[in-house]
Amino acid sequence: MLEPVELKDFFIVFFSGAMVIMAGALYALLFAWSRLQSKPWMMSLAYLSYIILFVAVMTLGSAAHLTGFWWWLVIAMLLGYLLAPHGIWKLCVATHAVKQGSEHKTTDTTCTNIP
């Protein structure tokens, strides 16, 4: 049974919840921008955002009195949010490489049929 959030912890839950949203969005934005623009220094800013996200989630979990299974669920979600952008990026790169490869092949076939 979960213990309800005490009234004195309301602002901690409110602000840490807001930080989870902001830091999570900033991590995703900086990660994508770093990959698209090929700027590795932005990846360090993305990881800094992830650390802020991690602290905010731990604060939220502590203020919300999460225990046992819920802590493990929070840790699994944090790990998934760290690794998911890497997997999605690799999937996008591989998908677009195959698509561009098939377009070139179609274009080459069309060009060879022209008299």
Side-chain angles (χ1 to χ4, degrees), residues 90-113:
K90 288 184 180 190
L91 179 66
C92 287
V93 168
T95 304
H96 285 82
V98 170
K99 184 178 177 183
Q100 288 176 352
S102 66
E103 286 178 0
H104 290 297
K105 187 175 181 180
T106 304
T107 304
D108 292 341
T109 305
T110 307
C111 291
T112 56
N113 292 337

Short mmCIF file of all heavy atoms in Angstrom, two decimals, residues 90-113:
data_model
loop_
_atom_site.label_atom_id
_atom_site.label_comp_id
_atom_site.label_asym_id
_atom_site.label_seq_id
_atom_site.Cartn_x
_atom_site.Cartn_y
_atom_site.Cartn_z
N LYS A 90 19.92 4.70 -33.95
CA LYS A 90 20.52 3.65 -34.79
C LYS A 90 19.48 3.05 -35.74
O LYS A 90 19.80 2.75 -36.90
CB LYS A 90 21.13 2.56 -33.91
CG LYS A 90 22.39 3.03 -33.24
CD LYS A 90 23.04 1.93 -32.45
CE LYS A 90 24.29 2.51 -31.80
NZ LYS A 90 25.14 1.54 -31.22
N LEU A 91 18.26 2.89 -35.27
CA LEU A 91 17.19 2.38 -36.12
C LEU A 91 16.89 3.34 -37.28
O LEU A 91 16.74 2.92 -38.43
CB LEU A 91 15.92 2.14 -35.30
CG LEU A 91 14.71 1.63 -36.05
CD1 LEU A 91 14.97 0.22 -36.57
CD2 LEU A 91 13.48 1.64 -35.15
N CYS A 92 16.84 4.63 -36.98
CA CYS A 92 16.58 5.63 -38.03
C CYS A 92 17.70 5.65 -39.06
O CYS A 92 17.45 5.73 -40.26
CB CYS A 92 16.42 7.02 -37.42
SG CYS A 92 14.87 7.25 -36.56
N VAL A 93 18.93 5.60 -38.60
CA VAL A 93 20.07 5.62 -39.52
C VAL A 93 20.04 4.39 -40.42
O VAL A 93 20.21 4.49 -41.64
CB VAL A 93 21.40 5.71 -38.75
CG1 VAL A 93 22.59 5.44 -39.65
CG2 VAL A 93 21.53 7.08 -38.10
N ALA A 94 19.79 3.23 -39.83
CA ALA A 94 19.76 2.00 -40.62
C ALA A 94 18.59 2.00 -41.60
O ALA A 94 18.73 1.58 -42.76
CB ALA A 94 19.65 0.79 -39.69
N THR A 95 17.43 2.48 -41.17
CA THR A 95 16.26 2.53 -42.04
C THR A 95 16.47 3.47 -43.21
O THR A 95 16.16 3.14 -44.36
CB THR A 95 15.02 2.98 -41.25
OG1 THR A 95 14.84 2.11 -40.14
CG2 THR A 95 13.79 2.97 -42.11
N HIS A 96 17.02 4.64 -42.96
CA HIS A 96 17.24 5.59 -44.03
C HIS A 96 18.36 5.15 -44.98
O HIS A 96 18.31 5.45 -46.16
CB HIS A 96 17.55 6.98 -43.48
CG HIS A 96 16.32 7.66 -42.96
ND1 HIS A 96 15.81 7.40 -41.71
CD2 HIS A 96 15.49 8.56 -43.52
CE1 HIS A 96 14.74 8.12 -41.53
NE2 HIS A 96 14.51 8.82 -42.61
N ALA A 97 19.34 4.42 -44.45
CA ALA A 97 20.40 3.92 -45.32
C ALA A 97 19.85 2.91 -46.30
O ALA A 97 20.19 2.92 -47.48
CB ALA A 97 21.51 3.31 -44.47
N VAL A 98 18.97 2.03 -45.86
CA VAL A 98 18.35 1.05 -46.75
C VAL A 98 17.45 1.74 -47.75
O VAL A 98 17.47 1.44 -48.95
CB VAL A 98 17.54 0.02 -45.92
CG1 VAL A 98 16.70 -0.85 -46.82
CG2 VAL A 98 18.47 -0.82 -45.08
N LYS A 99 16.68 2.74 -47.31
CA LYS A 99 15.77 3.45 -48.20
C LYS A 99 16.54 4.20 -49.28
O LYS A 99 16.20 4.15 -50.44
CB LYS A 99 14.91 4.42 -47.40
CG LYS A 99 13.88 5.13 -48.22
CD LYS A 99 13.04 6.04 -47.35
CE LYS A 99 12.06 6.82 -48.20
NZ LYS A 99 11.29 7.76 -47.41
N GLN A 100 17.61 4.90 -48.88
CA GLN A 100 18.40 5.63 -49.86
C GLN A 100 19.10 4.69 -50.81
O GLN A 100 19.26 4.98 -51.98
CB GLN A 100 19.41 6.53 -49.16
CG GLN A 100 18.76 7.71 -48.49
CD GLN A 100 19.75 8.54 -47.71
OE1 GLN A 100 20.90 8.15 -47.55
NE2 GLN A 100 19.31 9.69 -47.24
N GLY A 101 19.52 3.54 -50.31
CA GLY A 101 20.17 2.56 -51.17
C GLY A 101 19.22 2.03 -52.23
O GLY A 101 19.60 1.86 -53.39
N SER A 102 17.95 1.79 -51.87
CA SER A 102 16.99 1.28 -52.85
C SER A 102 16.61 2.36 -53.86
O SER A 102 16.37 2.06 -55.01
CB SER A 102 15.74 0.76 -52.15
OG SER A 102 15.05 1.80 -51.51
N GLU A 103 16.58 3.64 -53.45
CA GLU A 103 16.29 4.72 -54.40
C GLU A 103 17.40 4.86 -55.45
O GLU A 103 17.14 5.07 -56.61
CB GLU A 103 16.11 6.04 -53.67
CG GLU A 103 14.79 6.12 -52.94
CD GLU A 103 14.65 7.42 -52.17
OE1 GLU A 103 15.58 8.24 -52.21
OE2 GLU A 103 13.61 7.60 -51.54
N HIS A 104 18.63 4.73 -55.00
CA HIS A 104 19.74 4.81 -55.94
C HIS A 104 19.69 3.65 -56.94
O HIS A 104 19.97 3.82 -58.11
CB HIS A 104 21.07 4.82 -55.21
CG HIS A 104 21.31 6.08 -54.47
ND1 HIS A 104 21.40 7.30 -55.09
CD2 HIS A 104 21.45 6.32 -53.15
CE1 HIS A 104 21.60 8.24 -54.18
NE2 HIS A 104 21.63 7.67 -52.99
N LYS A 105 19.30 2.49 -56.43
CA LYS A 105 19.23 1.34 -57.31
C LYS A 105 18.14 1.55 -58.37
O LYS A 105 18.35 1.26 -59.54
CB LYS A 105 18.93 0.08 -56.49
CG LYS A 105 19.00 -1.19 -57.27
CD LYS A 105 18.80 -2.37 -56.35
CE LYS A 105 18.91 -3.66 -57.14
NZ LYS A 105 18.73 -4.82 -56.27
N THR A 106 16.97 2.10 -57.96
CA THR A 106 15.88 2.37 -58.89
C THR A 106 16.30 3.41 -59.92
O THR A 106 16.05 3.27 -61.11
CB THR A 106 14.64 2.86 -58.12
OG1 THR A 106 14.30 1.90 -57.15
CG2 THR A 106 13.48 3.08 -59.06
N THR A 107 16.98 4.44 -59.48
CA THR A 107 17.43 5.48 -60.38
C THR A 107 18.43 4.93 -61.39
O THR A 107 18.35 5.25 -62.58
CB THR A 107 18.07 6.63 -59.58
OG1 THR A 107 17.13 7.09 -58.62
CG2 THR A 107 18.47 7.76 -60.49
N ASP A 108 19.34 4.09 -60.92
CA ASP A 108 20.32 3.51 -61.82
C ASP A 108 19.65 2.64 -62.88
O ASP A 108 20.04 2.66 -64.04
CB ASP A 108 21.34 2.68 -61.03
CG ASP A 108 22.21 3.56 -60.16
OD1 ASP A 108 22.28 4.78 -60.44
OD2 ASP A 108 22.80 3.03 -59.21
N THR A 109 18.63 1.89 -62.50
CA THR A 109 17.93 1.03 -63.45
C THR A 109 17.22 1.87 -64.49
O THR A 109 17.24 1.56 -65.69
CB THR A 109 16.90 0.15 -62.70
OG1 THR A 109 17.57 -0.56 -61.68
CG2 THR A 109 16.24 -0.82 -63.65
N THR A 110 16.60 2.97 -64.05
CA THR A 110 15.90 3.85 -64.97
C THR A 110 16.88 4.48 -65.96
O THR A 110 16.59 4.58 -67.16
CB THR A 110 15.16 4.95 -64.19
OG1 THR A 110 14.34 4.35 -63.22
CG2 THR A 110 14.32 5.79 -65.11
N CYS A 111 18.04 4.87 -65.46
CA CYS A 111 19.01 5.52 -66.34
C CYS A 111 19.56 4.56 -67.38
O CYS A 111 19.87 4.96 -68.50
CB CYS A 111 20.16 6.10 -65.51
SG CYS A 111 19.66 7.50 -64.50
N THR A 112 19.68 3.28 -67.05
CA THR A 112 20.25 2.33 -68.02
C THR A 112 19.24 1.97 -69.11
O THR A 112 19.62 1.51 -70.17
CB THR A 112 20.70 1.04 -67.32
OG1 THR A 112 19.60 0.50 -66.60
CG2 THR A 112 21.86 1.32 -66.38
N ASN A 113 17.93 2.20 -68.83
CA ASN A 113 16.92 1.89 -69.84
C ASN A 113 16.73 3.00 -70.86
O ASN A 113 16.06 2.82 -71.86
CB ASN A 113 15.57 1.57 -69.19
CG ASN A 113 15.62 0.26 -68.42
OD1 ASN A 113 16.46 -0.59 -68.71
ND2 ASN A 113 14.76 0.12 -67.45
#
